[in-house]
mmCIF file of all heavy atoms in Angstrom:
data_model
loop_
_atom_site.group_PDB
_atom_site.id
_atom_site.type_symbol
_atom_site.label_atom_id
_atom_site.label_comp_id
_atom_site.label_asym_id
_atom_site.label_seq_id
_atom_site.Cartn_x
_atom_site.Cartn_y
_atom_site.Cartn_z
ATOM 1 N N ASN A 1 0.805 -1.228 0.000
ATOM 2 C CA ASN A 1 0.000 0.000 0.000
ATOM 3 C C ASN A 1 0.833 1.270 0.000
ATOM 4 O O ASN A 1 0.271 2.368 0.020
ATOM 5 C CB ASN A 1 -0.923 0.032 1.223
ATOM 6 C CG ASN A 1 -2.133 -0.862 1.064
ATOM 7 O OD1 ASN A 1 -2.418 -1.342 -0.031
ATOM 8 N ND2 ASN A 1 -2.854 -1.088 2.145
ATOM 9 N N VAL A 2 2.176 1.133 -0.013
ATOM 10 C CA VAL A 2 2.990 2.309 0.233
ATOM 11 C C VAL A 2 4.387 2.145 -0.361
ATOM 12 O O VAL A 2 4.921 1.032 -0.417
ATOM 13 C CB VAL A 2 3.080 2.578 1.755
ATOM 14 C CG1 VAL A 2 3.677 1.378 2.485
ATOM 15 C CG2 VAL A 2 3.847 3.829 2.074
ATOM 16 N N ASN A 3 4.964 3.242 -0.812
ATOM 17 C CA ASN A 3 6.366 3.267 -1.229
ATOM 18 C C ASN A 3 7.192 3.631 -0.003
ATOM 19 O O ASN A 3 7.330 4.802 0.340
ATOM 20 C CB ASN A 3 6.559 4.300 -2.343
ATOM 21 C CG ASN A 3 8.015 4.482 -2.747
ATOM 22 O OD1 ASN A 3 8.898 3.792 -2.247
ATOM 23 N ND2 ASN A 3 8.262 5.419 -3.643
ATOM 24 N N SER A 4 7.750 2.606 0.633
ATOM 25 C CA SER A 4 8.491 2.862 1.872
ATOM 26 C C SER A 4 9.826 2.140 1.916
ATOM 27 O O SER A 4 10.405 1.976 2.976
ATOM 28 C CB SER A 4 7.650 2.421 3.076
ATOM 29 O OG SER A 4 7.390 1.016 3.011
ATOM 30 N N SER A 5 10.312 1.676 0.782
ATOM 31 C CA SER A 5 11.587 0.958 0.766
ATOM 32 C C SER A 5 12.351 1.338 -0.498
ATOM 33 O O SER A 5 11.920 2.201 -1.272
ATOM 34 C CB SER A 5 11.341 -0.561 0.801
ATOM 35 O OG SER A 5 10.703 -0.990 -0.391
ATOM 36 N N ASN A 6 13.478 0.701 -0.697
ATOM 37 C CA ASN A 6 14.278 0.963 -1.890
ATOM 38 C C ASN A 6 13.854 0.116 -3.083
ATOM 39 O O ASN A 6 14.541 0.101 -4.109
ATOM 40 C CB ASN A 6 15.761 0.703 -1.578
ATOM 41 C CG ASN A 6 16.316 1.707 -0.577
ATOM 42 O OD1 ASN A 6 15.928 2.872 -0.588
ATOM 43 N ND2 ASN A 6 17.209 1.243 0.285
ATOM 44 N N ASP A 7 12.728 -0.599 -2.955
ATOM 45 C CA ASP A 7 12.271 -1.462 -4.040
ATOM 46 C C ASP A 7 11.958 -0.676 -5.308
ATOM 47 O O ASP A 7 12.005 -1.228 -6.411
ATOM 48 C CB ASP A 7 11.030 -2.244 -3.619
ATOM 49 C CG ASP A 7 11.311 -3.217 -2.483
ATOM 50 O OD1 ASP A 7 12.505 -3.471 -2.218
ATOM 51 O OD2 ASP A 7 10.350 -3.705 -1.863
ATOM 52 N N TYR A 8 11.609 0.611 -5.156
ATOM 53 C CA TYR A 8 11.152 1.402 -6.298
ATOM 54 C C TYR A 8 12.209 2.374 -6.801
ATOM 55 O O TYR A 8 11.957 3.127 -7.740
ATOM 56 C CB TYR A 8 9.875 2.153 -5.915
ATOM 57 C CG TYR A 8 8.793 1.222 -5.431
ATOM 58 C CD1 TYR A 8 8.573 1.029 -4.062
ATOM 59 C CD2 TYR A 8 7.993 0.516 -6.323
ATOM 60 C CE1 TYR A 8 7.589 0.172 -3.603
ATOM 61 C CE2 TYR A 8 7.007 -0.348 -5.880
ATOM 62 C CZ TYR A 8 6.812 -0.513 -4.514
ATOM 63 O OH TYR A 8 5.836 -1.381 -4.070
ATOM 64 N N GLU A 9 13.366 2.398 -6.172
ATOM 65 C CA GLU A 9 14.483 3.240 -6.607
ATOM 66 C C GLU A 9 14.069 4.707 -6.764
ATOM 67 O O GLU A 9 14.298 5.339 -7.784
ATOM 68 C CB GLU A 9 15.060 2.710 -7.924
ATOM 69 C CG GLU A 9 15.641 1.309 -7.805
ATOM 70 C CD GLU A 9 16.245 0.815 -9.104
ATOM 71 O OE1 GLU A 9 16.110 1.528 -10.134
ATOM 72 O OE2 GLU A 9 16.843 -0.274 -9.106
ATOM 73 N N GLY A 10 13.438 5.228 -5.747
ATOM 74 C CA GLY A 10 13.035 6.633 -5.768
ATOM 75 C C GLY A 10 11.532 6.813 -5.640
ATOM 76 O O GLY A 10 10.830 5.952 -5.091
ATOM 77 N N THR A 11 11.042 7.918 -6.150
ATOM 78 C CA THR A 11 9.623 8.239 -6.041
ATOM 79 C C THR A 11 8.791 7.367 -6.974
ATOM 80 O O THR A 11 9.301 6.742 -7.907
ATOM 81 C CB THR A 11 9.370 9.720 -6.368
ATOM 82 O OG1 THR A 11 9.794 9.980 -7.716
ATOM 83 C CG2 THR A 11 10.125 10.627 -5.407
ATOM 84 N N THR A 12 7.501 7.337 -6.707
ATOM 85 C CA THR A 12 6.556 6.574 -7.524
ATOM 86 C C THR A 12 5.383 7.479 -7.896
ATOM 87 O O THR A 12 5.146 8.514 -7.255
ATOM 88 C CB THR A 12 6.029 5.351 -6.752
ATOM 89 O OG1 THR A 12 5.638 5.760 -5.427
ATOM 90 C CG2 THR A 12 7.090 4.281 -6.651
ATOM 91 N N PRO A 13 4.606 7.129 -8.943
ATOM 92 C CA PRO A 13 3.427 7.934 -9.301
ATOM 93 C C PRO A 13 2.451 8.029 -8.143
ATOM 94 O O PRO A 13 2.295 7.087 -7.355
ATOM 95 C CB PRO A 13 2.821 7.161 -10.484
ATOM 96 C CG PRO A 13 3.972 6.417 -11.079
ATOM 97 C CD PRO A 13 4.842 6.031 -9.915
ATOM 98 N N VAL A 14 1.776 9.162 -8.043
ATOM 99 C CA VAL A 14 0.893 9.408 -6.903
ATOM 100 C C VAL A 14 -0.332 8.508 -6.906
ATOM 101 O O VAL A 14 -1.032 8.407 -5.892
ATOM 102 C CB VAL A 14 0.455 10.888 -6.873
ATOM 103 C CG1 VAL A 14 1.645 11.793 -6.669
ATOM 104 C CG2 VAL A 14 -0.306 11.267 -8.150
ATOM 105 N N ASN A 15 -0.633 7.856 -8.043
ATOM 106 C CA ASN A 15 -1.803 6.974 -8.121
ATOM 107 C C ASN A 15 -1.412 5.495 -8.148
ATOM 108 O O ASN A 15 -2.232 4.653 -8.504
ATOM 109 C CB ASN A 15 -2.632 7.312 -9.360
ATOM 110 C CG ASN A 15 -1.836 7.171 -10.650
ATOM 111 O OD1 ASN A 15 -0.629 6.912 -10.628
ATOM 112 N ND2 ASN A 15 -2.500 7.364 -11.781
ATOM 113 N N GLN A 16 -0.189 5.160 -7.759
ATOM 114 C CA GLN A 16 0.289 3.782 -7.874
ATOM 115 C C GLN A 16 -0.248 2.868 -6.782
ATOM 116 O O GLN A 16 -0.299 1.653 -6.966
ATOM 117 C CB GLN A 16 1.815 3.744 -7.866
ATOM 118 C CG GLN A 16 2.394 2.342 -8.036
ATOM 119 C CD GLN A 16 3.854 2.342 -8.419
ATOM 120 O OE1 GLN A 16 4.329 3.246 -9.104
ATOM 121 N NE2 GLN A 16 4.591 1.329 -7.980
ATOM 122 N N PHE A 17 -0.669 3.428 -5.651
ATOM 123 C CA PHE A 17 -1.081 2.600 -4.517
ATOM 124 C C PHE A 17 -2.516 2.911 -4.102
ATOM 125 O O PHE A 17 -2.758 3.549 -3.070
ATOM 126 C CB PHE A 17 -0.134 2.823 -3.327
ATOM 127 C CG PHE A 17 1.300 2.489 -3.629
ATOM 128 C CD1 PHE A 17 2.189 3.491 -4.002
ATOM 129 C CD2 PHE A 17 1.754 1.188 -3.556
ATOM 130 C CE1 PHE A 17 3.510 3.195 -4.279
ATOM 131 C CE2 PHE A 17 3.075 0.880 -3.839
ATOM 132 C CZ PHE A 17 3.957 1.883 -4.201
ATOM 133 N N PRO A 18 -3.518 2.451 -4.876
ATOM 134 C CA PRO A 18 -4.920 2.750 -4.522
ATOM 135 C C PRO A 18 -5.318 2.151 -3.182
ATOM 136 O O PRO A 18 -6.195 2.689 -2.493
ATOM 137 C CB PRO A 18 -5.724 2.129 -5.672
ATOM 138 C CG PRO A 18 -4.810 1.122 -6.288
ATOM 139 C CD PRO A 18 -3.427 1.669 -6.127
ATOM 140 N N GLY A 19 -4.661 1.046 -2.775
ATOM 141 C CA GLY A 19 -4.983 0.456 -1.483
ATOM 142 C C GLY A 19 -4.519 1.294 -0.314
ATOM 143 O O GLY A 19 -4.913 1.052 0.825
ATOM 144 N N GLY A 20 -3.708 2.294 -0.586
ATOM 145 C CA GLY A 20 -3.213 3.159 0.477
ATOM 146 C C GLY A 20 -4.072 4.383 0.718
ATOM 147 O O GLY A 20 -3.660 5.279 1.463
ATOM 148 N N ALA A 21 -5.260 4.439 0.114
ATOM 149 C CA ALA A 21 -6.131 5.612 0.284
ATOM 150 C C ALA A 21 -6.562 5.768 1.734
ATOM 151 O O ALA A 21 -6.765 4.782 2.455
ATOM 152 C CB ALA A 21 -7.353 5.484 -0.613
ATOM 153 N N SER A 22 -6.710 7.009 2.152
ATOM 154 C CA SER A 22 -7.178 7.287 3.504
ATOM 155 C C SER A 22 -8.690 7.063 3.578
ATOM 156 O O SER A 22 -9.341 6.850 2.554
ATOM 157 C CB SER A 22 -6.840 8.737 3.874
ATOM 158 O OG SER A 22 -7.806 9.630 3.330
ATOM 159 N N PRO A 23 -9.291 7.109 4.780
ATOM 160 C CA PRO A 23 -10.742 6.943 4.879
ATOM 161 C C PRO A 23 -11.522 7.964 4.055
ATOM 162 O O PRO A 23 -12.685 7.721 3.715
ATOM 163 C CB PRO A 23 -11.009 7.122 6.377
ATOM 164 C CG PRO A 23 -9.737 6.699 7.032
ATOM 165 C CD PRO A 23 -8.654 7.162 6.109
ATOM 166 N N TYR A 24 -10.898 9.089 3.725
ATOM 167 C CA TYR A 24 -11.558 10.111 2.900
ATOM 168 C C TYR A 24 -11.232 9.965 1.414
ATOM 169 O O TYR A 24 -11.707 10.753 0.601
ATOM 170 C CB TYR A 24 -11.154 11.507 3.371
ATOM 171 C CG TYR A 24 -11.617 11.849 4.767
ATOM 172 C CD1 TYR A 24 -10.733 11.788 5.846
ATOM 173 C CD2 TYR A 24 -12.930 12.216 5.011
ATOM 174 C CE1 TYR A 24 -11.153 12.098 7.124
ATOM 175 C CE2 TYR A 24 -13.365 12.526 6.290
ATOM 176 C CZ TYR A 24 -12.463 12.457 7.339
ATOM 177 O OH TYR A 24 -12.890 12.759 8.611
ATOM 178 N N GLY A 25 -10.398 8.990 1.061
ATOM 179 C CA GLY A 25 -10.015 8.822 -0.327
ATOM 180 C C GLY A 25 -8.843 9.671 -0.751
ATOM 181 O O GLY A 25 -8.582 9.813 -1.946
ATOM 182 N N VAL A 26 -8.113 10.242 0.200
ATOM 183 C CA VAL A 26 -6.922 11.025 -0.122
ATOM 184 C C VAL A 26 -5.762 10.053 -0.315
ATOM 185 O O VAL A 26 -5.579 9.110 0.464
ATOM 186 C CB VAL A 26 -6.603 12.040 0.988
ATOM 187 C CG1 VAL A 26 -5.426 12.917 0.588
ATOM 188 C CG2 VAL A 26 -7.832 12.909 1.263
ATOM 189 N N MET A 27 -4.969 10.282 -1.356
ATOM 190 C CA MET A 27 -3.966 9.304 -1.772
ATOM 191 C C MET A 27 -2.538 9.700 -1.376
ATOM 192 O O MET A 27 -2.226 10.877 -1.235
ATOM 193 C CB MET A 27 -4.027 9.136 -3.299
ATOM 194 C CG MET A 27 -5.413 8.810 -3.844
ATOM 195 S SD MET A 27 -6.065 7.253 -3.235
ATOM 196 C CE MET A 27 -4.858 6.108 -3.892
ATOM 197 N N ASP A 28 -1.709 8.678 -1.244
ATOM 198 C CA ASP A 28 -0.265 8.848 -1.055
ATOM 199 C C ASP A 28 0.082 9.680 0.177
ATOM 200 O O ASP A 28 1.021 10.482 0.167
ATOM 201 C CB ASP A 28 0.355 9.490 -2.301
ATOM 202 C CG ASP A 28 1.579 8.735 -2.803
ATOM 203 O OD1 ASP A 28 1.695 7.539 -2.489
ATOM 204 O OD2 ASP A 28 2.412 9.347 -3.490
ATOM 205 N N MET A 29 -0.678 9.473 1.258
ATOM 206 C CA MET A 29 -0.420 10.214 2.490
ATOM 207 C C MET A 29 0.630 9.535 3.364
ATOM 208 O O MET A 29 0.994 10.059 4.417
ATOM 209 C CB MET A 29 -1.721 10.371 3.292
ATOM 210 C CG MET A 29 -2.827 11.115 2.577
ATOM 211 S SD MET A 29 -2.482 12.867 2.425
ATOM 212 C CE MET A 29 -3.051 13.497 3.996
ATOM 213 N N CYS A 30 1.094 8.381 2.937
ATOM 214 C CA CYS A 30 2.104 7.654 3.690
ATOM 215 C C CYS A 30 3.173 7.197 2.715
ATOM 216 O O CYS A 30 2.877 6.653 1.655
ATOM 217 C CB CYS A 30 1.467 6.460 4.397
ATOM 218 S SG CYS A 30 2.574 5.471 5.407
ATOM 219 N N GLY A 31 4.440 7.440 3.037
ATOM 220 C CA GLY A 31 5.525 7.030 2.170
ATOM 221 C C GLY A 31 5.734 7.961 0.994
ATOM 222 O O GLY A 31 5.171 9.045 0.916
ATOM 223 N N ASN A 32 6.583 7.541 0.077
ATOM 224 C CA ASN A 32 6.917 8.262 -1.157
ATOM 225 C C ASN A 32 7.707 9.535 -0.874
ATOM 226 O O ASN A 32 8.915 9.570 -1.058
ATOM 227 C CB ASN A 32 5.681 8.548 -1.999
ATOM 228 C CG ASN A 32 5.986 8.705 -3.477
ATOM 229 O OD1 ASN A 32 7.111 8.487 -3.922
ATOM 230 N ND2 ASN A 32 4.986 9.068 -4.259
ATOM 231 N N VAL A 33 7.046 10.607 -0.454
ATOM 232 C CA VAL A 33 7.742 11.865 -0.166
ATOM 233 C C VAL A 33 7.164 12.496 1.096
ATOM 234 O O VAL A 33 6.070 12.140 1.536
ATOM 235 C CB VAL A 33 7.607 12.874 -1.338
ATOM 236 C CG1 VAL A 33 8.234 12.321 -2.606
ATOM 237 C CG2 VAL A 33 6.143 13.236 -1.579
ATOM 238 N N GLN A 34 7.896 13.433 1.674
ATOM 239 C CA GLN A 34 7.372 14.248 2.762
ATOM 240 C C GLN A 34 6.624 15.435 2.169
ATOM 241 O O GLN A 34 6.897 15.861 1.046
ATOM 242 C CB GLN A 34 8.511 14.732 3.663
ATOM 243 C CG GLN A 34 9.209 13.612 4.427
ATOM 244 C CD GLN A 34 10.318 14.129 5.318
ATOM 245 O OE1 GLN A 34 11.097 14.991 4.931
ATOM 246 N NE2 GLN A 34 10.414 13.591 6.523
ATOM 247 N N GLU A 35 5.678 15.965 2.935
ATOM 248 C CA GLU A 35 4.843 17.056 2.438
ATOM 249 C C GLU A 35 4.873 18.236 3.403
ATOM 250 O O GLU A 35 5.009 18.066 4.616
ATOM 251 C CB GLU A 35 3.405 16.566 2.235
ATOM 252 C CG GLU A 35 3.315 15.408 1.239
ATOM 253 C CD GLU A 35 1.899 14.908 1.053
ATOM 254 O OE1 GLU A 35 0.961 15.729 1.107
ATOM 255 O OE2 GLU A 35 1.708 13.697 0.841
ATOM 256 N N TRP A 36 4.734 19.432 2.826
ATOM 257 C CA TRP A 36 4.778 20.661 3.622
ATOM 258 C C TRP A 36 3.412 20.974 4.218
ATOM 259 O O TRP A 36 2.385 20.777 3.589
ATOM 260 C CB TRP A 36 5.218 21.838 2.760
ATOM 261 C CG TRP A 36 6.652 21.816 2.356
ATOM 262 C CD1 TRP A 36 7.161 21.591 1.108
ATOM 263 C CD2 TRP A 36 7.786 22.047 3.207
ATOM 264 N NE1 TRP A 36 8.531 21.653 1.124
ATOM 265 C CE2 TRP A 36 8.947 21.936 2.397
ATOM 266 C CE3 TRP A 36 7.938 22.325 4.569
ATOM 267 C CZ2 TRP A 36 10.229 22.099 2.918
ATOM 268 C CZ3 TRP A 36 9.214 22.482 5.070
ATOM 269 C CH2 TRP A 36 10.338 22.375 4.259
ATOM 270 N N CYS A 37 3.421 21.501 5.462
ATOM 271 C CA CYS A 37 2.231 22.058 6.103
ATOM 272 C C CYS A 37 2.467 23.543 6.339
ATOM 273 O O CYS A 37 3.586 24.030 6.248
ATOM 274 C CB CYS A 37 1.935 21.350 7.428
ATOM 275 S SG CYS A 37 1.414 19.631 7.225
ATOM 276 N N THR A 38 1.405 24.249 6.688
ATOM 277 C CA THR A 38 1.530 25.702 6.784
ATOM 278 C C THR A 38 2.097 26.177 8.118
ATOM 279 O O THR A 38 2.702 27.239 8.182
ATOM 280 C CB THR A 38 0.159 26.367 6.557
ATOM 281 O OG1 THR A 38 0.328 27.782 6.434
ATOM 282 C CG2 THR A 38 -0.813 26.082 7.691
ATOM 283 N N ASP A 39 1.884 25.386 9.198
ATOM 284 C CA ASP A 39 2.292 25.882 10.509
ATOM 285 C C ASP A 39 3.730 25.509 10.836
ATOM 286 O O ASP A 39 4.298 24.581 10.276
ATOM 287 C CB ASP A 39 1.344 25.387 11.616
ATOM 288 C CG ASP A 39 0.842 23.969 11.407
ATOM 289 O OD1 ASP A 39 1.313 23.298 10.458
ATOM 290 O OD2 ASP A 39 0.001 23.529 12.187
ATOM 291 N N TRP A 40 4.304 26.265 11.767
ATOM 292 C CA TRP A 40 5.677 26.045 12.180
ATOM 293 C C TRP A 40 5.755 24.844 13.112
ATOM 294 O O TRP A 40 4.845 24.574 13.889
ATOM 295 C CB TRP A 40 6.235 27.284 12.898
ATOM 296 C CG TRP A 40 6.389 28.455 11.993
ATOM 297 C CD1 TRP A 40 5.493 29.456 11.793
ATOM 298 C CD2 TRP A 40 7.507 28.742 11.143
ATOM 299 N NE1 TRP A 40 5.969 30.361 10.880
ATOM 300 C CE2 TRP A 40 7.209 29.949 10.457
ATOM 301 C CE3 TRP A 40 8.726 28.116 10.895
ATOM 302 C CZ2 TRP A 40 8.083 30.529 9.547
ATOM 303 C CZ3 TRP A 40 9.602 28.685 9.987
ATOM 304 C CH2 TRP A 40 9.268 29.878 9.329
ATOM 305 N N TYR A 41 6.878 24.150 13.060
ATOM 306 C CA TYR A 41 7.073 22.980 13.925
ATOM 307 C C TYR A 41 7.521 23.405 15.316
ATOM 308 O O TYR A 41 8.369 24.275 15.464
ATOM 309 C CB TYR A 41 8.133 22.047 13.332
ATOM 310 C CG TYR A 41 8.569 20.954 14.284
ATOM 311 C CD1 TYR A 41 7.822 19.790 14.415
ATOM 312 C CD2 TYR A 41 9.709 21.114 15.069
ATOM 313 C CE1 TYR A 41 8.204 18.797 15.298
ATOM 314 C CE2 TYR A 41 10.104 20.126 15.959
ATOM 315 C CZ TYR A 41 9.342 18.972 16.069
ATOM 316 O OH TYR A 41 9.720 18.001 16.958
ATOM 317 N N TYR A 42 6.895 22.802 16.331
ATOM 318 C CA TYR A 42 7.471 22.855 17.671
ATOM 319 C C TYR A 42 7.082 21.575 18.392
ATOM 320 O O TYR A 42 5.994 21.036 18.203
ATOM 321 C CB TYR A 42 7.047 24.103 18.458
ATOM 322 C CG TYR A 42 5.571 24.282 18.712
ATOM 323 C CD1 TYR A 42 5.009 23.938 19.931
ATOM 324 C CD2 TYR A 42 4.737 24.837 17.742
ATOM 325 C CE1 TYR A 42 3.660 24.116 20.172
ATOM 326 C CE2 TYR A 42 3.383 25.025 17.986
ATOM 327 C CZ TYR A 42 2.857 24.668 19.197
ATOM 328 O OH TYR A 42 1.519 24.850 19.438
ATOM 329 N N ASP A 43 7.978 21.060 19.214
ATOM 330 C CA ASP A 43 7.839 19.702 19.707
ATOM 331 C C ASP A 43 6.755 19.542 20.773
ATOM 332 O O ASP A 43 6.401 18.418 21.122
ATOM 333 C CB ASP A 43 9.172 19.162 20.243
ATOM 334 C CG ASP A 43 9.790 20.079 21.291
ATOM 335 O OD1 ASP A 43 9.113 21.033 21.723
ATOM 336 O OD2 ASP A 43 10.944 19.809 21.683
ATOM 337 N N ASP A 44 6.215 20.649 21.306
ATOM 338 C CA ASP A 44 5.149 20.546 22.304
ATOM 339 C C ASP A 44 3.771 20.840 21.711
ATOM 340 O O ASP A 44 2.817 21.073 22.448
ATOM 341 C CB ASP A 44 5.404 21.519 23.465
ATOM 342 C CG ASP A 44 6.592 21.100 24.316
ATOM 343 O OD1 ASP A 44 6.850 19.890 24.360
ATOM 344 O OD2 ASP A 44 7.242 21.975 24.907
ATOM 345 N N MET A 45 3.644 20.816 20.396
ATOM 346 C CA MET A 45 2.386 21.195 19.761
ATOM 347 C C MET A 45 1.218 20.350 20.260
ATOM 348 O O MET A 45 0.138 20.856 20.507
ATOM 349 C CB MET A 45 2.503 21.055 18.233
ATOM 350 C CG MET A 45 1.189 21.292 17.514
ATOM 351 S SD MET A 45 1.308 21.010 15.741
ATOM 352 C CE MET A 45 -0.405 21.241 15.281
ATOM 353 N N TYR A 46 1.413 19.038 20.429
ATOM 354 C CA TYR A 46 0.301 18.152 20.772
ATOM 355 C C TYR A 46 -0.210 18.380 22.181
ATOM 356 O O TYR A 46 -1.298 17.960 22.533
ATOM 357 C CB TYR A 46 0.708 16.690 20.572
ATOM 358 C CG TYR A 46 0.752 16.283 19.113
ATOM 359 C CD1 TYR A 46 1.568 16.956 18.215
ATOM 360 C CD2 TYR A 46 -0.007 15.234 18.627
ATOM 361 C CE1 TYR A 46 1.627 16.605 16.878
ATOM 362 C CE2 TYR A 46 0.042 14.868 17.298
ATOM 363 C CZ TYR A 46 0.864 15.563 16.428
ATOM 364 O OH TYR A 46 0.914 15.222 15.104
#
């Protein structure tokens, strides 16, 4: 369900893992690449 190893030698197409869809149908939220958010990081946020 995810690109999380060296099996793919880099990035993969964003539609390659349909089984990895979130409960809302959002794709590629795990593995492949990191993604930017708008807020600043701080370790006590939670």
Side-chain angles (χ1 to χ4, degrees):
N1 283 348
V2 59
N3 175 4
S4 62
S5 66
N6 293 325
D7 295 346
Y8 304 98
E9 297 182 354
T11 61
T12 47
V14 297
N15 59 355
Q16 182 164 328
F17 301 96
S22 81
Y24 295 101
V26 184
M27 307 298 298
D28 230 23
M29 300 289 276
C30 181
N32 206 7
V33 298
Q34 294 181 317
E35 301 179 35
W36 289 110
C37 292
T38 189
D39 37 6
W40 293 94
Y41 170 83
Y42 60 100
D43 54 9
D44 290 332
M45 174 184 175
Y46 285 58

